[in-house]
Amino acid sequence: MDVQANIDTEKLVLDLFEVEGVKFGNYTLKSGVQAPVYIDLRVVVSYPELMVRVSEMLWKASQNVKSEYKSICGVPYTALPLATCISAKENIPMLIRRKEAKGYGTKKLIEGKYNDGDNCLIIEDVCTSGSSVLDTVQALKTCGIKVSDAIVLLDREQGAVDVLKQHGITLHSVMGLNQVMEILERSKKIDCEMVEKVRSFLQVNRFTPSTNTQPCQPNQIKKLSFTERGKLCTNQMTKKLFGIMEEKKSNLVVSADFTQSQQILELVDKVGPHVCMVKTHIDIVEDFSQDFITKLLQMAQKHKFLLFEDRKYADIGNTVKLQYNNGIYHVSSWADIINAHCISGLGVLAALKQIGLEKNKGCLLVAEMSSTGNMITAEYTAATVKLAEENKDFVIGFICQNRLSDDPTLLHLTPGVQLKKGSDDLGQQYLTPEEVISKRGNDVIIVGRGITQSADVINTAIAYKQSAYNAYCQLLQ
Ligand code: 5IU
């Protein structure tokens, strides 16, 4: 680092300390962890000269980036004005990541002009685990934009460099927390006791790259067959499903949304040979009985498909546990797979896991919905993806509209599918199998009325099966 850079960094650190962007004491972080240091650079917007200086230093650090990039994108919200300063001063186009996406359909995660395959440079103020950077990378990725590098003003040196590296992203920082402490100690703003306290905090609170399967580049996953992906899975349910899909050459799930058990049994006997899974809404069945479940399980064995109860558990943990295990349906006794909205927090997943894990069941997380105006935001989707990636012992994938994770062991199942694009009169929106599988990179289509209301159920199911499986095969070429 040259002498001028040292002087600039020192001045910046002292100024950030002065405006309380960096504070020392006893703080409870968002995660609930007690920390001796608190960094919140939102305050710089109240000091325009400081804000410009921060953006200039970020820009200087970006000179080390080797890849070409078309635009920059600040991680919302703190880095948004910083990216704006850089964009205006250096005349570089900017993209804005929308945190609260509009309803599905008109939903635009990323504002600004871009082309498929563009590389974008991420700007961030502070990095701890790298997860906020990854959320923005995820949002960009769903729009076809790549990220190879990220610039951060202050790296808390808790492992973000390695975490991001695992995702193929090089993190460049203007300064690290240890350097900040050295400067402040030298300037007598903090004492050596505090420095030691922070150092041991940083040592204990480190984030390490996940030891799970390495994520693939999206193009690589699309080239992996279901069999190859099955081999990478440690989750037995995912392995089983990949196996069935390959054996039956079917990535079709039928949604058996009938209210009479006989209608369901007749349907699944007809379409059973052509589907990898049958999806139920057991609470719409008017003549539910244990005998119906016994027959359904016999069908599942006869035609080799899995049973997915689309219950969308969403309550607090304790309630969800009772809903899954008790009541008149005893879902945990027969459904191979269930799904959940994680709106209520980690408790829902923890509760379902308590019941399902030892029964070797699988869970899908609802990360996106097909219905118009649904209130799922980009941020919610990104948080759901993270939850899935951290709970792969039980979570086998997503119900979604777009490929969301580069982890080849997570499945992407998409409802809202018919042979023709369109909608129903209650907000359902339909995409075609080709759009869902080959364009959007999902794995499985879920089809209800497209099959159940057809005059020729068997041949229609075959048509959906072939259309989705051919789209998958095309990706492998
Ligand atoms: N389903 C959706 N959209 C979603 C989710 C679930 O349609 O976002 I999450 C369910 C509802 C229904 C089936 O049981 O998938 C789709 O049925 P149709 O193909 O008949 O629209």
Side-chain angles (χ1 to χ4, degrees):
M1 202 185 265
D2 61 38
V3 179
Q4 188 54 47
N6 271 330
I7 297 171
D8 290 348
T9 308
E10 185 141 346
K11 178 157 171 31
L12 186 73
V13 169
L14 292 171
D15 289 347
L16 288 175
F17 182 77
E18 208 56 45
V19 301
E20 299 196 321
V22 182
K23 294 193 276 191
F24 296 85
N26 216 345
Y27 304 95
T28 306
L29 304 181
K30 232 187 326 185
S31 57
V33 170
Q34 293 281 322
V37 58
Y38 186 70
I39 303 168
D40 182 358
L41 300 188
R42 271 175 292 196
V43 68
V44 300
V45 295
S46 301
Y47 305 89
E49 183 275 329
L50 185 57
M51 180 163 69
V52 169
R53 210 152 17 103
V54 167
S55 65
E56 283 172 354
M57 295 192 67
L58 283 163
W59 175 244
K60 257 193 205 153
S62 75
Q63 303 310 304
N64 296 325
V65 173
K66 298 210 172 64
S67 317
E68 299 254 317
Y69 51 88
K70 289 264 164 57
S71 55
I72 59 173
C73 178
V75 176
Y77 290 99
T78 316
L80 238 163
L82 301 173
T84 311
C85 290
I86 297 173
S87 170
K89 179 130 189 268
E90 309 299 336
N91 193 24
I92 295 180
M94 184 169 97
L95 296 174
I96 297 177
R97 178 196 155 203
R98 193 184 270 287
K99 265 187 123 177
E100 300 81 7
K102 296 182 203 160
Y104 176 78
T106 53
K107 177 157 90 175
K108 253 183 132 179
L109 295 180
I110 301 295
E111 301 287 355
K113 282 204 149 186
Y114 53 85
N115 291 312
D116 206 30
D118 278 0
N119 195 21
C120 175
L121 178 68
I122 301 270
I123 308 290
E124 174 64 307
D125 59 331
V126 184
C127 243
T128 307
S129 65
S131 67
S132 316
V133 169
L134 288 177
D135 288 350
T136 295
V137 170
Q138 183 64 47
L140 288 163
K141 210 179 267 175
T142 56
C143 295
I145 304 162
K146 294 186 294 192
V147 175
S148 59
D149 297 80
I151 312 289
V152 63
L153 180 73
L154 205 170
D155 179 5
R156 288 179 60 119
E157 297 175 326
Q158 285 173 254
V161 171
D162 292 336
V163 171
L164 291 175
K165 195 166 160 195
Q166 195 197 28
H167 290 263
I169 296 161
T170 310
L171 182 68
H172 310 260
S173 60
V174 172
M175 56 203 182
L177 188 49
N178 281 294
Q179 188 189 358
V180 170
M181 287 191 301
E182 267 167 40
I183 294 170
L184 293 174
E185 190 186 8
R186 228 185 306 126
S187 313
K188 309 225 170 335
K189 302 289 183 192
I190 54 173
D191 56 23
C192 61
E193 212 176 294
M194 180 53 82
V195 173
E196 265 326 298
K197 226 175 169 177
V198 176
R199 283 218 173 104
S200 57
F201 169 80
L202 293 183
Q203 247 160 32
V204 175
N205 291 279
R206 277 196 70 75
F207 295 87
T208 47
S210 89
T211 49
N212 292 341
T213 327
Q214 293 281 325
C216 295
Q217 293 302 317
N219 292 341
Q220 282 175 290
I221 306 183
K222 288 182 190 163
K223 295 250 175 255
L224 288 179
S225 68
F226 292 145
T227 305
E228 286 164 323
R229 287 172 63 185
K231 283 186 193 147
L232 298 172
C233 297
T234 47
N235 183 308
Q236 292 311 308
M237 189 56 79
T238 328
K239 226 183 200 8
K240 198 164 164 182
L241 186 52
F242 273 129
I244 295 175
M245 284 157 68
E246 197 77 271
E247 189 187 326
K248 293 174 80 175
K249 295 198 182 320
S250 173
N251 48 344
L252 167 66
V253 174
V254 72
S255 186
D257 295 342
F258 284 127
T259 55
Q260 301 300 315
S261 56
Q262 199 48 38
Q263 288 175 302
I264 297 177
L265 293 171
E266 274 168 24
L267 172 78
V268 299
D269 206 16
K270 284 184 187 159
V271 304
H274 307 292
V275 300
C276 58
M277 188 146 75
V278 167
K279 182 171 88 63
T280 53
H281 280 296
I282 205 64
D283 56 358
I284 65 173
V285 177
E286 289 170 352
D287 56 348
F288 176 84
S289 67
Q290 192 49 47
D291 179 54
F292 165 58
I293 292 299
T294 307
K295 287 188 174 135
L296 199 55
L297 286 167
Q298 281 165 356
M299 292 277 183
Q301 208 161 28
K302 174 176 162 194
H303 298 300
K304 207 164 185 190
F305 58 74
L306 298 180
L307 287 172
F308 164 26
E309 166 56 19
D310 186 5
R311 173 61 181 77
K312 300 186 189 71
Y313 295 101
D315 217 309
I316 58 161
N318 186 56
T319 305
V320 152
K321 201 168 149 183
L322 296 169
Q323 289 171 323
Y324 184 26
N325 212 23
N326 302 79
I328 56 170
Y329 303 118
H330 301 284
V331 173
S332 68
S333 72
W334 55 270
D336 299 298
I337 292 164
I338 39 117
N339 57 355
H341 284 291
C342 287
I343 185 81
S344 54
L346 273 177
V348 61
L349 200 50
L352 294 172
K353 238 192 210 192
Q354 270 183 24
I355 307 281
L357 204 55
E358 63 180 36
K359 296 183 190 232
N360 292 320
K361 306 289 186 181
C363 179
L364 293 159
L365 299 187
V366 179
E368 291 175 320
M369 291 193 73
S370 61
S371 43
T372 184
N374 74 75
M375 295 183 196
I376 292 182
T377 63
E379 198 179 23
Y380 179 84
T381 300
T384 306
V385 171
K386 200 163 151 228
L387 259 184
E389 290 176 346
E390 289 168 355
N391 291 279
K392 293 203 303 173
D393 51 346
F394 186 51
V395 176
I396 66 166
F398 311 98
I399 303 290
C400 56
Q401 297 291 304
N402 297 286
R403 174 165 285 282
L404 302 171
S405 171
D406 293 340
D407 187 323
T409 64
L410 289 170
L411 282 152
H412 292 65
L413 286 79
T414 304
V417 179
Q418 285 204 348
L419 293 172
K420 278 205 192 106
K421 215 175 153 163
S423 55
D424 72 4
D425 56 0
L426 288 172
Q428 173 70 304
Q429 302 181 114
Y430 291 112
L431 300 169
T432 63
E434 295 78 24
E435 164 87 29
V436 167
I437 306 293
S438 35
K439 291 222 180 90
R440 301 193 175 203
N442 298 296
D443 302 311
V444 177
I445 57 166
I446 300 176
V447 182
R449 286 163 288 175
I451 292 174
T452 58
Q453 292 189 354
S454 142
D456 184 351
V457 164
I458 297 179
N459 281 312
T460 307
I462 293 173
Y464 275 98
K465 173 181 76 168
Q466 286 175 343
S467 157
Y469 200 77
N470 288 345
Y472 150 74
C473 291
Q474 267 171 19
L475 287 176
L476 295 181
Q477 285 160 10

